Amino acid sequence: MNKSVILENIIKHQTQLLKTLEESVALYKTTSDIDEENTIDPEDLSHQGEAKEMQLHLEERIKTEKTTIQELEKFKNSIQENIQEGALIETGTAFIYLGAALNPFEYEAKEVYCISSDSPLAKSLFHKKTGDNFKIGDTNHTILNIS
C-alpha cells in the first residue's frame, strides 16, 4: 500500500471539489452584483440577497476545503504505526483514511473512505492493530495494514 499515492488521489478529488466551489462562487458573485438603481422588480433585489448569502457560504466552504487539503499534504509522507489521525488503514475491500470526512471514491478496485478522527468509527479503531476485525454497517473488515 502506497499511502502517499492514495492521499494524492484524495487531494486530487478535493482539488476538483475546490475548483467546482470556486466556479460556483464566481457565478453567485455575478448574480449578486446587479445594478440596484436600474432594477425595477423588488424580487430581483431579493434574489440578489440570496445569491450573496450563498456566495458567502461557499467562500467559507472553500476555506475549509483548503485547510483539509493542507492537512492531507501534511500526512501524505508520514508513517503511522498505530491507528491515529493521519493513519491509512487497508482492509480487503477498502482503504480508510482518518483525518477528514470526505466523499468516498474507488482506487485500485477498493473503496477509499475518509472519516473524521472525531467520528465514532474512528474512535472505535484507535485501539485496533493489524489483524484485528471491525464492522462498518453490516460489513466485516480485517485490518491488513496501517500506515
Side-chain angles (χ1 to χ4, degrees), residues 126-139:
F126 285 148
H127 69 280
K128 303 275 186 193
K129 296 182 179 5
T130 302
D132 287 350
N133 297 311
F134 65 96
K135 274 182 117 173
I136 298 178
D138 293 331
T139 307

mmCIF file with all atom_site columns, all heavy atoms in Angstrom, residues 126-139:
data_model
loop_
_atom_site.group_PDB
_atom_site.id
_atom_site.type_symbol
_atom_site.label_atom_id
_atom_site.label_alt_id
_atom_site.label_comp_id
_atom_site.label_asym_id
_atom_site.label_entity_id
_atom_site.label_seq_id
_atom_site.pdbx_PDB_ins_code
_atom_site.Cartn_x
_atom_site.Cartn_y
_atom_site.Cartn_z
_atom_site.occupancy
_atom_site.B_iso_or_equiv
_atom_site.pdbx_formal_charge
_atom_site.auth_seq_id
_atom_site.auth_comp_id
_atom_site.auth_asym_id
_atom_site.auth_atom_id
_atom_site.pdbx_PDB_model_num
ATOM 1   N N   . PHE A 1 126 ? -9.135  3.298   17.117 1.00 0.00 ? 126 PHE A N   1
ATOM 2   C CA  . PHE A 1 126 ? -7.873  3.761   17.703 1.00 0.00 ? 126 PHE A CA  1
ATOM 3   C C   . PHE A 1 126 ? -7.105  2.678   18.451 1.00 0.00 ? 126 PHE A C   1
ATOM 4   O O   . PHE A 1 126 ? -5.886  2.693   18.468 1.00 0.00 ? 126 PHE A O   1
ATOM 5   C CB  . PHE A 1 126 ? -8.093  4.966   18.607 1.00 0.00 ? 126 PHE A CB  1
ATOM 6   C CG  . PHE A 1 126 ? -8.340  6.260   17.865 1.00 0.00 ? 126 PHE A CG  1
ATOM 7   C CD1 . PHE A 1 126 ? -9.157  7.227   18.404 1.00 0.00 ? 126 PHE A CD1 1
ATOM 8   C CD2 . PHE A 1 126 ? -7.764  6.505   16.631 1.00 0.00 ? 126 PHE A CD2 1
ATOM 9   C CE1 . PHE A 1 126 ? -9.396  8.416   17.728 1.00 0.00 ? 126 PHE A CE1 1
ATOM 10  C CE2 . PHE A 1 126 ? -7.996  7.687   15.942 1.00 0.00 ? 126 PHE A CE2 1
ATOM 11  C CZ  . PHE A 1 126 ? -8.814  8.647   16.501 1.00 0.00 ? 126 PHE A CZ  1
ATOM 12  N N   . HIS A 1 127 ? -7.759  1.749   19.052 1.00 0.00 ? 127 HIS A N   1
ATOM 13  C CA  . HIS A 1 127 ? -7.061  0.704   19.808 1.00 0.00 ? 127 HIS A CA  1
ATOM 14  C C   . HIS A 1 127 ? -6.782  -0.554  18.981 1.00 0.00 ? 127 HIS A C   1
ATOM 15  O O   . HIS A 1 127 ? -6.159  -1.493  19.470 1.00 0.00 ? 127 HIS A O   1
ATOM 16  C CB  . HIS A 1 127 ? -7.863  0.338   21.064 1.00 0.00 ? 127 HIS A CB  1
ATOM 17  C CG  . HIS A 1 127 ? -9.142  -0.363  20.755 1.00 0.00 ? 127 HIS A CG  1
ATOM 18  N ND1 . HIS A 1 127 ? -10.274 0.302   20.359 1.00 0.00 ? 127 HIS A ND1 1
ATOM 19  C CD2 . HIS A 1 127 ? -9.464  -1.677  20.764 1.00 0.00 ? 127 HIS A CD2 1
ATOM 20  C CE1 . HIS A 1 127 ? -11.241 -0.569  20.139 1.00 0.00 ? 127 HIS A CE1 1
ATOM 21  N NE2 . HIS A 1 127 ? -10.783 -1.777  20.377 1.00 0.00 ? 127 HIS A NE2 1
ATOM 22  N N   . LYS A 1 128 ? -7.207  -0.577  17.728 1.00 0.00 ? 128 LYS A N   1
ATOM 23  C CA  . LYS A 1 128 ? -7.048  -1.765  16.881 1.00 0.00 ? 128 LYS A CA  1
ATOM 24  C C   . LYS A 1 128 ? -5.621  -1.854  16.313 1.00 0.00 ? 128 LYS A C   1
ATOM 25  O O   . LYS A 1 128 ? -4.915  -0.866  16.203 1.00 0.00 ? 128 LYS A O   1
ATOM 26  C CB  . LYS A 1 128 ? -8.043  -1.737  15.722 1.00 0.00 ? 128 LYS A CB  1
ATOM 27  C CG  . LYS A 1 128 ? -9.499  -1.637  16.125 1.00 0.00 ? 128 LYS A CG  1
ATOM 28  C CD  . LYS A 1 128 ? -10.066 -2.983  16.432 1.00 0.00 ? 128 LYS A CD  1
ATOM 29  C CE  . LYS A 1 128 ? -11.566 -2.866  16.691 1.00 0.00 ? 128 LYS A CE  1
ATOM 30  N NZ  . LYS A 1 128 ? -12.090 -4.062  17.271 1.00 0.00 ? 128 LYS A NZ  1
ATOM 31  N N   . LYS A 1 129 ? -5.254  -3.072  15.925 1.00 0.00 ? 129 LYS A N   1
ATOM 32  C CA  . LYS A 1 129 ? -3.939  -3.344  15.333 1.00 0.00 ? 129 LYS A CA  1
ATOM 33  C C   . LYS A 1 129 ? -4.119  -4.207  14.084 1.00 0.00 ? 129 LYS A C   1
ATOM 34  O O   . LYS A 1 129 ? -5.204  -4.717  13.828 1.00 0.00 ? 129 LYS A O   1
ATOM 35  C CB  . LYS A 1 129 ? -3.059  -4.072  16.344 1.00 0.00 ? 129 LYS A CB  1
ATOM 36  C CG  . LYS A 1 129 ? -2.741  -3.255  17.579 1.00 0.00 ? 129 LYS A CG  1
ATOM 37  C CD  . LYS A 1 129 ? -1.837  -4.024  18.512 1.00 0.00 ? 129 LYS A CD  1
ATOM 38  C CE  . LYS A 1 129 ? -1.435  -3.296  19.755 1.00 0.00 ? 129 LYS A CE  1
ATOM 39  N NZ  . LYS A 1 129 ? -1.941  -2.033  20.080 1.00 0.00 ? 129 LYS A NZ  1
ATOM 40  N N   . THR A 1 130 ? -3.054  -4.382  13.329 1.00 0.00 ? 130 THR A N   1
ATOM 41  C CA  . THR A 1 130 ? -3.085  -5.243  12.151 1.00 0.00 ? 130 THR A CA  1
ATOM 42  C C   . THR A 1 130 ? -3.591  -6.629  12.548 1.00 0.00 ? 130 THR A C   1
ATOM 43  O O   . THR A 1 130 ? -3.163  -7.182  13.561 1.00 0.00 ? 130 THR A O   1
ATOM 44  C CB  . THR A 1 130 ? -1.677  -5.350  11.528 1.00 0.00 ? 130 THR A CB  1
ATOM 45  O OG1 . THR A 1 130 ? -1.240  -4.041  11.191 1.00 0.00 ? 130 THR A OG1 1
ATOM 46  C CG2 . THR A 1 130 ? -1.675  -6.207  10.278 1.00 0.00 ? 130 THR A CG2 1
ATOM 47  N N   . GLY A 1 131 ? -4.531  -7.150  11.776 1.00 0.00 ? 131 GLY A N   1
ATOM 48  C CA  . GLY A 1 131 ? -5.122  -8.458  12.048 1.00 0.00 ? 131 GLY A CA  1
ATOM 49  C C   . GLY A 1 131 ? -6.445  -8.375  12.792 1.00 0.00 ? 131 GLY A C   1
ATOM 50  O O   . GLY A 1 131 ? -7.206  -9.344  12.808 1.00 0.00 ? 131 GLY A O   1
ATOM 51  N N   . ASP A 1 132 ? -6.734  -7.218  13.419 1.00 0.00 ? 132 ASP A N   1
ATOM 52  C CA  . ASP A 1 132 ? -7.995  -7.059  14.149 1.00 0.00 ? 132 ASP A CA  1
ATOM 53  C C   . ASP A 1 132 ? -9.157  -6.871  13.177 1.00 0.00 ? 132 ASP A C   1
ATOM 54  O O   . ASP A 1 132 ? -8.972  -6.435  12.042 1.00 0.00 ? 132 ASP A O   1
ATOM 55  C CB  . ASP A 1 132 ? -7.933  -5.861  15.099 1.00 0.00 ? 132 ASP A CB  1
ATOM 56  C CG  . ASP A 1 132 ? -7.051  -6.122  16.319 1.00 0.00 ? 132 ASP A CG  1
ATOM 57  O OD1 . ASP A 1 132 ? -6.634  -7.272  16.534 1.00 0.00 ? 132 ASP A OD1 1
ATOM 58  O OD2 . ASP A 1 132 ? -6.784  -5.143  17.056 1.00 0.00 ? 132 ASP A OD2 1
ATOM 59  N N   . ASN A 1 133 ? -10.346 -7.188  13.661 1.00 0.00 ? 133 ASN A N   1
ATOM 60  C CA  . ASN A 1 133 ? -11.566 -7.054  12.862 1.00 0.00 ? 133 ASN A CA  1
ATOM 61  C C   . ASN A 1 133 ? -12.417 -5.912  13.387 1.00 0.00 ? 133 ASN A C   1
ATOM 62  O O   . ASN A 1 133 ? -12.368 -5.581  14.577 1.00 0.00 ? 133 ASN A O   1
ATOM 63  C CB  . ASN A 1 133 ? -12.391 -8.350  12.919 1.00 0.00 ? 133 ASN A CB  1
ATOM 64  C CG  . ASN A 1 133 ? -11.647 -9.520  12.326 1.00 0.00 ? 133 ASN A CG  1
ATOM 65  O OD1 . ASN A 1 133 ? -11.112 -9.423  11.229 1.00 0.00 ? 133 ASN A OD1 1
ATOM 66  N ND2 . ASN A 1 133 ? -11.603 -10.623 13.054 1.00 0.00 ? 133 ASN A ND2 1
ATOM 67  N N   . PHE A 1 134 ? -13.220 -5.351  12.491 1.00 0.00 ? 134 PHE A N   1
ATOM 68  C CA  . PHE A 1 134 ? -14.203 -4.331  12.870 1.00 0.00 ? 134 PHE A CA  1
ATOM 69  C C   . PHE A 1 134 ? -15.309 -4.337  11.827 1.00 0.00 ? 134 PHE A C   1
ATOM 70  O O   . PHE A 1 134 ? -15.183 -4.946  10.774 1.00 0.00 ? 134 PHE A O   1
ATOM 71  C CB  . PHE A 1 134 ? -13.550 -2.940  12.990 1.00 0.00 ? 134 PHE A CB  1
ATOM 72  C CG  . PHE A 1 134 ? -13.019 -2.390  11.696 1.00 0.00 ? 134 PHE A CG  1
ATOM 73  C CD1 . PHE A 1 134 ? -13.777 -1.514  10.921 1.00 0.00 ? 134 PHE A CD1 1
ATOM 74  C CD2 . PHE A 1 134 ? -11.749 -2.740  11.247 1.00 0.00 ? 134 PHE A CD2 1
ATOM 75  C CE1 . PHE A 1 134 ? -13.282 -1.006  9.722  1.00 0.00 ? 134 PHE A CE1 1
ATOM 76  C CE2 . PHE A 1 134 ? -11.251 -2.234  10.049 1.00 0.00 ? 134 PHE A CE2 1
ATOM 77  C CZ  . PHE A 1 134 ? -12.022 -1.363  9.287  1.00 0.00 ? 134 PHE A CZ  1
ATOM 78  N N   . LYS A 1 135 ? -16.408 -3.665  12.138 1.00 0.00 ? 135 LYS A N   1
ATOM 79  C CA  . LYS A 1 135 ? -17.568 -3.619  11.239 1.00 0.00 ? 135 LYS A CA  1
ATOM 80  C C   . LYS A 1 135 ? -17.846 -2.186  10.807 1.00 0.00 ? 135 LYS A C   1
ATOM 81  O O   . LYS A 1 135 ? -17.740 -1.264  11.596 1.00 0.00 ? 135 LYS A O   1
ATOM 82  C CB  . LYS A 1 135 ? -18.820 -4.147  11.945 1.00 0.00 ? 135 LYS A CB  1
ATOM 83  C CG  . LYS A 1 135 ? -19.002 -5.627  11.896 1.00 0.00 ? 135 LYS A CG  1
ATOM 84  C CD  . LYS A 1 135 ? -20.291 -6.017  12.576 1.00 0.00 ? 135 LYS A CD  1
ATOM 85  C CE  . LYS A 1 135 ? -21.195 -6.644  11.539 1.00 0.00 ? 135 LYS A CE  1
ATOM 86  N NZ  . LYS A 1 135 ? -22.402 -7.209  12.131 1.00 0.00 ? 135 LYS A NZ  1
ATOM 87  N N   . ILE A 1 136 ? -18.213 -2.038  9.538  1.00 0.00 ? 136 ILE A N   1
ATOM 88  C CA  . ILE A 1 136 ? -18.798 -0.797  9.036  1.00 0.00 ? 136 ILE A CA  1
ATOM 89  C C   . ILE A 1 136 ? -20.161 -1.203  8.504  1.00 0.00 ? 136 ILE A C   1
ATOM 90  O O   . ILE A 1 136 ? -20.250 -1.938  7.521  1.00 0.00 ? 136 ILE A O   1
ATOM 91  C CB  . ILE A 1 136 ? -17.953 -0.143  7.922  1.00 0.00 ? 136 ILE A CB  1
ATOM 92  C CG1 . ILE A 1 136 ? -16.577 0.250   8.436  1.00 0.00 ? 136 ILE A CG1 1
ATOM 93  C CG2 . ILE A 1 136 ? -18.690 1.073   7.361  1.00 0.00 ? 136 ILE A CG2 1
ATOM 94  C CD1 . ILE A 1 136 ? -15.667 0.865   7.383  1.00 0.00 ? 136 ILE A CD1 1
ATOM 95  N N   . GLY A 1 137 ? -21.211 -0.773  9.185  1.00 0.00 ? 137 GLY A N   1
ATOM 96  C CA  . GLY A 1 137 ? -22.550 -1.219  8.820  1.00 0.00 ? 137 GLY A CA  1
ATOM 97  C C   . GLY A 1 137 ? -22.651 -2.716  9.050  1.00 0.00 ? 137 GLY A C   1
ATOM 98  O O   . GLY A 1 137 ? -22.353 -3.210  10.130 1.00 0.00 ? 137 GLY A O   1
ATOM 99  N N   . ASP A 1 138 ? -23.020 -3.446  8.006  1.00 0.00 ? 138 ASP A N   1
ATOM 100 C CA  . ASP A 1 138 ? -23.137 -4.900  8.096  1.00 0.00 ? 138 ASP A CA  1
ATOM 101 C C   . ASP A 1 138 ? -21.903 -5.621  7.568  1.00 0.00 ? 138 ASP A C   1
ATOM 102 O O   . ASP A 1 138 ? -21.879 -6.849  7.518  1.00 0.00 ? 138 ASP A O   1
ATOM 103 C CB  . ASP A 1 138 ? -24.369 -5.374  7.302  1.00 0.00 ? 138 ASP A CB  1
ATOM 104 C CG  . ASP A 1 138 ? -25.661 -4.893  7.933  1.00 0.00 ? 138 ASP A CG  1
ATOM 105 O OD1 . ASP A 1 138 ? -25.682 -4.705  9.165  1.00 0.00 ? 138 ASP A OD1 1
ATOM 106 O OD2 . ASP A 1 138 ? -26.648 -4.698  7.186  1.00 0.00 ? 138 ASP A OD2 1
ATOM 107 N N   . THR A 1 139 ? -20.878 -4.866  7.157  1.00 0.00 ? 139 THR A N   1
ATOM 108 C CA  . THR A 1 139 ? -19.701 -5.458  6.529  1.00 0.00 ? 139 THR A CA  1
ATOM 109 C C   . THR A 1 139 ? -18.562 -5.615  7.532  1.00 0.00 ? 139 THR A C   1
ATOM 110 O O   . THR A 1 139 ? -18.179 -4.649  8.202  1.00 0.00 ? 139 THR A O   1
ATOM 111 C CB  . THR A 1 139 ? -19.217 -4.585  5.345  1.00 0.00 ? 139 THR A CB  1
ATOM 112 O OG1 . THR A 1 139 ? -20.316 -4.360  4.456  1.00 0.00 ? 139 THR A OG1 1
ATOM 113 C CG2 . THR A 1 139 ? -18.081 -5.260  4.600  1.00 0.00 ? 139 THR A CG2 1
#
